[in-house]
Amino acid sequence: MKNNKLDFRDEVFFEVYQLMKRDKSIVVLTNDMGAAGLDKLYTKFRERVVNVGICEQNMMSVAGGLAQSGCSVFVYGIISHLIFRSLEQIKIDICLQNLPVHIIGVGAGLSYGQDGPTHHGIEDIGVTKVLPNLTIYNPSDPKLAAKLLNQAYKNKKPSFIRLDKEQTVALKASKNHDYFRMFNKNKRNIILSTGYSTLLAVKYQKIYKNFTIIDLFKLGNSKNEKITSYLKKAKKVLIFEENLSSSLFSDFIYKIKSDYNLKFEIRVCSLKKQFLFGSSSRDYIWKKKIILENLFKNL
Amino acid sequence: MKNNDLLKLKKIASKLRLDIFKTAMNAGKGHVPPAFSWVEIATVLFYKNIINFNLKNHKSNNRDKFILSKGHGCLTLYAVFSDLKIINKKELNNFAKNGSLLAGHPDTVINGVDCCSGSLGHGLGVGAGISLANKLKKNKNKTFVLLGDGECQEGSVWEAFAFAPKHKLNNLIAMIDRNSLGSTDFTENSSPLEPLKKKIENFGWNVIFVQGHNIKKIYSTFKKINKFNKPTCIIFNTIKGKGLKLMENSPRWHHQLPKKDLYNKCLEELKNS
């Protein structure tokens, strides 16, 4: 049987490759992180792909300097290191000056679960969503990731694109909007998911068809009218994320509920606000912490 | 350098100090000693055309860049910008007041400011990025970055020191205002920097050590920089608070201002310098 599974990084770096062919101002920086797609960029565009070394702070400052000089910059590394090590550089050298620097971070959620808590990407949304000018993209499949990268590039403003390590097929939504898409629309029970959790929700939707999935993939300056129109009809909304409860992508819906005096019930299924010590693969965590079958069945 | 020229530059330096002092006292705040320590450096850089940056080209991206990485020393930059008419003279009177362009640390809302600084340790990395872009574009623009010596305690500075020689950024000039003081104490009492020249040389830079208040020597040092094929670091031996005896070389005066009864005495000293 043909394997239709795609890799997030392969798809994204292929998109970067296409862009670099056309746009000579694009520069890619990495903190000594590898990827098959990146190797191809090194070969073809040697001068414009720079391994800065294991120095994330300098990498972000250099990205800022390149961008203010007219370059479009992609920065690649593992999410937890890129964000936490160099948060101030991201804030001051990139966001404050609203520069076209696109942070491609791999390791969203528990992609690196077995590598321990220093590699988990479960707290970063909490600290990046507070930064003005930064758009966060959290795609749930590799094709969408490539499309969002292209969008970010055209936008010419700071962006943070979170990639999972899981290989997956491209998902086909029943309705697409600019910051979310829907699977099995028109149900009154809604699952608000993002990234890997959308993949889980879609898997269970094949069995339990009694809910709509709203797959959120962009957090930035989008207006909320569209999503509000769907939430107005909702009876129950489950926020379902592989992030800490203190670092959710979708908790803006509490404000929507309050502003519009909506009546739906909100439940949250996420990781507790605690570090996950030792080796914690995502299969282990999701089976240990929640019985997924019951969650979706009883929705 | 001819004597007339030297005299003219010394007068400029004196005027800058006076403007800096009056601006801070008017606002009731400001880092005067960190500004005073690099006045001669600024005088030569901006008034002897060492840097290709002036009223005509300051809004352009295609010129030399100056990054004040030690952002708290901004009063000197503001005084220079005002004198060169890059900002309106009235703006100096508004320094640190509500709605003013001129905050206690500079940001890019001011035309001609090339980096938002204030949090230390960023400027050299940003400067390296600009220099790398200039190399890719094959233009001759240079980037000058002024760092504080206390700032060199930040790890990110050393990441940038390691990066620049690897990428042959001989269009990057780091300048260290080596006044030996941090905010509350001498640098060697907290996280020692010496032997600073040797450390930076070992990272692959060309390093020059020069008296930071000797205009003639500063000028002749700047004239040499085009000859090198690796990034250059100039360590300027300076005195924090240079120009006012009260403030010179004292940890007490990082961002303190003299009380009003000393104002006239300080003003007199600056006018007579």
Side-chain angles (χ1 to χ4, degrees):
Chain A
M1 191 179 227
K2 195 178 172 187
N3 182 4
N4 293 325
K5 288 193 174 180
L6 303 166
D7 184 273
F8 279 85
R9 282 179 287 185
D10 284 350
E11 293 299 311
V12 157
F13 281 120
F14 181 72
E15 187 64 28
V16 174
Y17 180 87
Q18 301 301 324
L19 291 172
M20 286 182 87
K21 276 199 300 190
R22 296 197 300 266
D23 182 353
K24 305 278 182 264
S25 79
I26 293 177
V27 177
V28 175
L29 304 179
T30 175
N31 60 336
D32 204 23
M33 263 294 290
L38 188 59
D39 289 344
K40 198 177 174 193
L41 297 182
Y42 268 128
T43 310
K44 179 84 178 163
F45 308 111
R46 192 63 193 92
E47 203 186 42
R48 292 192 277 144
V49 180
V50 182
N51 178 1
V52 175
I54 308 170
C55 25
E56 292 76 17
Q57 293 177 8
N58 186 54
M59 181 166 68
M60 295 300 179
S61 293
V62 167
L66 283 162
Q68 69 151 273
S69 305
C71 298
S72 210
V73 187
F74 292 97
V75 177
Y76 166 68
I78 292 180
I79 285 175
S80 54
H81 311 142
L82 287 185
I83 300 304
F84 284 94
R85 201 67 180 246
S86 53
L87 187 62
E88 194 182 64
Q89 280 76 10
I90 294 169
K91 172 188 160 189
I92 294 176
D93 302 338
I94 296 168
C95 292
L96 187 50
Q97 292 167 90
N98 211 10
L99 293 169
V101 175
H102 313 291
I103 301 167
I104 303 172
V106 69
L110 293 172
S111 294
Y112 286 104
Q114 281 145 314
D115 286 295
T118 58
H119 283 56
H120 295 167
I122 55 179
E123 313 99 345
D124 56 282
I125 289 173
V127 302
T128 48
K129 68 179 177 181
V130 305
L131 293 175
N133 298 335
L134 184 69
T135 301
I136 306 171
Y137 297 94
N138 199 41
S140 47
D141 77 63
K143 283 287 181 205
L144 178 61
K147 188 178 155 197
L148 294 177
L149 180 127
N150 193 295
Q151 197 185 102
Y153 159 77
K154 284 177 181 159
N155 205 25
K156 296 188 194 305
K157 290 183 200 293
S159 65
F160 170 33
I161 303 159
R162 305 174 82 247
L163 303 183
D164 206 276
K165 267 189 76 191
E166 198 82 16
Q167 291 201 342
T168 174
V169 295
L171 301 175
K172 197 172 175 204
S174 39
K175 186 85 183 167
N176 292 295
H177 295 283
D178 69 333
Y179 61 100
F180 67 94
R181 55 186 181 172
M182 300 174 77
F183 298 85
N184 196 28
K185 56 186 183 120
N186 297 330
K187 301 291 180 189
R188 293 192 67 197
N189 294 329
I190 291 177
I191 290 190
L192 206 53
S193 58
T194 182
Y196 179 74
S197 60
T198 294
L199 295 176
L200 285 179
V202 165
K203 179 178 154 190
Y204 281 94
Q205 197 178 49
K206 290 179 178 137
I207 310 162
Y208 308 104
K209 301 182 197 303
N210 57 335
F211 53 86
T212 288
I213 298 169
I214 293 182
D215 172 31
L216 276 173
F217 51 74
K218 181 176 165 187
L219 199 60
N221 293 325
S222 306
K223 295 193 196 322
N224 288 328
E225 284 94 10
K226 212 62 211 172
I227 203 169
T228 304
S229 67
Y230 293 111
L231 291 173
K232 276 179 179 168
K233 301 168 198 164
K235 192 174 154 196
K236 283 183 194 169
V237 175
L238 171 69
I239 292 177
F240 180 43
E241 294 190 27
E242 196 181 53
N243 289 307
L244 295 191
S245 56
S246 48
S247 179
L248 296 176
F249 206 73
S250 33
D251 54 2
F252 63 90
I253 69 155
Y254 285 97
K255 189 168 185 307
I256 292 177
K257 185 173 192 265
S258 156
D259 286 353
Y260 290 89
N261 197 25
L262 301 180
K263 305 294 178 203
F264 58 80
E265 180 193 328
I266 299 181
R267 285 155 68 190
V268 178
C269 174
S270 69
L271 300 172
K272 271 192 205 168
K273 189 183 167 188
Q274 61 188 33
F275 293 114
L276 294 165
F277 290 93
S279 175
S280 311
S281 77
R282 54 187 11 155
D283 283 347
Y284 171 71
I285 288 297
W286 285 110
K287 277 180 187 150
K288 189 186 175 198
K289 301 289 180 190
I290 313 134
I291 301 169
L292 281 172
E293 291 271 353
N294 283 339
L295 177 75
F296 290 103
K297 195 173 166 184
N298 296 327
L299 188 70
Chain B
M1 184 183 281
K2 291 181 184 165
N3 283 339
N4 276 349
D5 212 11
L6 182 61
L7 190 61
K8 188 177 157 194
L9 291 170
K10 282 184 175 178
K11 280 185 177 172
I12 290 172
S14 285
K15 182 184 180 301
L16 289 174
R17 283 198 167 89
L18 211 46
D19 285 344
I20 289 165
F21 183 71
K22 283 180 183 173
T23 301
M25 292 303 287
N26 180 48
K29 51 174 37 161
H31 294 77
V32 170
F36 275 5
S37 60
W38 73 284
V39 162
E40 281 76 16
I41 301 165
T43 304
V44 177
L45 202 56
F46 289 100
Y47 291 86
K48 282 302 286 178
N49 298 322
I50 301 297
I51 184 171
N52 175 22
F53 170 96
N54 49 51
L55 181 61
K56 282 185 185 156
N57 70 5
H58 74 283
K59 288 184 187 177
S60 162
N61 214 5
N62 187 18
R63 54 164 172 80
D64 288 350
K65 298 276 178 90
F66 173 75
I67 292 175
L68 182 62
S69 193
K70 55 167 263 179
H72 54 286
C74 59
L75 281 168
T76 302
L77 191 67
Y78 296 160
V80 168
F81 276 20
S82 164
D83 196 46
L84 296 180
K85 299 184 185 3
I86 287 168
I87 58 175
N88 198 305
K89 254 188 169 48
K90 286 181 200 171
E91 284 296 342
L92 281 187
N93 290 334
N94 284 338
F95 166 70
K97 292 189 179 153
N98 286 332
S100 173
L101 263 187
L102 307 185
H105 300 83
D107 65 51
T108 49
V109 75
I110 305 166
N111 282 323
V113 168
D114 292 323
C115 181
C116 296
S117 52
S119 181
L120 300 171
H122 293 242
L124 192 58
V126 173
I130 296 171
S131 302
L132 183 62
N134 286 333
K135 283 283 179 190
L136 290 171
K137 291 181 196 175
K138 297 180 173 35
N139 67 38
K140 292 197 163 100
N141 295 332
K142 292 199 205 53
T143 306
F144 294 81
V145 182
L146 182 74
L147 298 101
D149 53 354
E151 181 178 10
C152 293
Q153 292 174 337
E154 292 274 6
S156 52
V157 170
W158 295 93
E159 291 180 8
F161 271 132
F163 177 84
K166 165 68 190 165
H167 297 278
K168 299 184 173 46
L169 301 180
N170 61 338
N171 53 354
L172 176 63
I173 300 101
M175 304 176 289
I176 300 178
D177 180 352
R178 186 73 172 117
N179 58 38
S180 300
L181 274 162
S183 176
T184 61
D185 201 354
F186 293 92
T187 54
E188 304 314 282
N189 288 344
S190 54
S191 185
L193 294 167
E194 290 301 330
L196 185 60
K197 183 174 187 279
K198 202 167 184 179
K199 282 177 183 173
I200 301 170
E201 275 170 347
N202 285 340
F203 271 66
W205 288 63
N206 177 59
V207 187
I208 310 170
F209 188 86
V210 70
Q211 280 301 321
H213 300 294
N214 185 317
I215 286 177
K216 238 181 175 172
K217 287 189 175 167
I218 294 172
Y219 178 70
S220 63
T221 300
F222 275 132
K223 292 307 270 180
K224 280 189 226 171
I225 52 179
N226 287 332
K227 297 177 186 167
F228 303 114
N229 61 0
K230 37 186 175 173
T232 295
C233 177
I234 309 172
I235 302 176
F236 292 96
N237 187 20
T238 57
I239 297 171
K240 193 166 181 179
K242 172 79 176 169
L244 273 181
K245 287 274 176 286
L246 173 75
M247 292 182 174
E248 284 183 6
N249 207 35
S250 167
R252 194 187 148 207
W253 290 100
H254 179 67
H255 53 67
Q256 290 266 56
L257 291 176
K259 296 216 180 340
K260 283 187 180 153
D261 54 339
L262 287 173
Y263 176 70
N264 287 326
K265 191 178 168 195
C266 291
L267 213 56
E268 222 31 61
E269 188 181 340
L270 288 170
K271 281 178 183 170
N272 293 335
S273 68

